[in-house]
């Protein structure tokens, strides 16, 4: 696993999916959103979906021993560059990734204040098929694949607050891990998607 990689970290609704997907598309990188993969598994009621449901239903993180092999298996199939959206989310995940890659990938961290996250999540929609993010008022069909746009079940307020506290408990130490290794770039995630993308691209 010697390919070049990027990881995207940030609180829920910080724009990881929107920005990560765009950066991946424009640079020919393979893209994996672990959250989208889990939501698809829930929808299709697969074994993974059955296992992950109790965690997603209450806004908790899925255990490392489920997430790590799943992501390493995906990475094992990548010959070129890749971008991970939403992984790693714990120090253990970050360490396992480094060990498998034999290097530490560059981490892009989107910073958005909590009040702005709450405003965003209240009007966020997601395509049920391709998992692109949209906003209320953008219609009911995904402009990319014609799938149905709907609110995410885990965006209801209580669930969202749990995800935010999981972020503080587990992802902040992961960000510190990347900062200590001088592999983190903190990006201001406020403003329009184009403004944020200009900062992400650097
Ligand atoms: P996201 O779409 O990135 O907001 O992720 C949605 C949910 O999927 C999270 O709140 C977690 O329950 C779960 N999840 C996604 N990625 C991970 C991960 N790396 N580790 C643990 N749980 C995850």
């Amino acid at each position: 696993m010697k390919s070049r990689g990027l990881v995207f970290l940030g609180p829920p609704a910080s724009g990881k999916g929107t920005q990560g997907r765009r950066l991946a598309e424009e640079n020919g990188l393979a893209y994996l959103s672990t959250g989208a993969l889990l939501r698809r598994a829930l929808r299709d009621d697969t074994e993974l979906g059955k296992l992950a449901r109790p965690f997603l239903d209450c806004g908790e993180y899925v255990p490392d021993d489920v997430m790590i092999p799943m992501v390493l298996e995906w990475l094992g199939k990548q010959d070129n560059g890749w971008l991970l959206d939403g992984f790693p989310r714990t120090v253990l995940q970050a360490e396992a990734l480094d060990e498998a890659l034999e290097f530490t990938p560059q981490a892009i961290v989107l910073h958005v204040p909590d009040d702005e996250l709450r405003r965003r999540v209240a009007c966020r929609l997601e395509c049920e098929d391709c998992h692109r993010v949209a906003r209320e008022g953008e219609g009911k069909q995904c402009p990319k694949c014609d799938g149905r746009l709907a609110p995410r079940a885990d965006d209801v307020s209580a669930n969202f607050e749990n995800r935010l506290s999981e972020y503080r408990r587990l992802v902040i130490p992961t960000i510190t891990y990347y900062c200590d290794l001088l592999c983190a770039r903190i990006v201001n995630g406020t403003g329009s998607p184009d403004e944020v993308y200009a900062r992400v691209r650097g």
Side-chain angles (χ1 to χ4, degrees), residues 34-54 56-57 126-132 142 145-153:
T34 45
L37 189 149
L38 292 168
R39 283 191 292 286
R40 183 176 295 267
L42 250 66
R43 195 192 66 178
D44 298 344
D45 206 24
T46 63
E47 284 307 309
L48 173 65
K50 287 189 180 79
L51 205 154
R53 183 179 295 282
L56 268 79
D57 277 355
E126 187 183 79
C127 173
E128 288 179 339
D129 291 331
C130 76
H131 301 284
R132 269 168 205 279
C142 174
C145 78
D146 283 346
R148 196 172 84 96
L149 296 177
R152 270 172 52 169

Side-chain angles (χ1 to χ4, degrees), residues 10 29 38 71 77 114 132 151 179:
L29 306 174
L38 292 168
V71 172
K77 297 183 197 141
D114 289 0
R132 269 168 205 279
C179 288

Side-chain angles (χ1 to χ4, degrees), residues 104-120:
T104 304
Q106 167 87 45
I108 298 182
V109 183
L110 290 177
H111 176 72
V112 177
D114 289 0
D115 286 353
E116 171 67 13
L117 297 172
R118 292 191 181 97
R119 264 195 299 276
R120 286 184 187 183

Side-chain angles (χ1 to χ4, degrees), residues 57-73:
D57 277 355
C58 65
E60 279 176 21
Y61 285 176
V62 176
D64 289 334
D65 60 356
V66 176
M67 296 307 297
I68 293 170
M70 192 177 96
V71 172
L72 294 189
E73 191 198 328

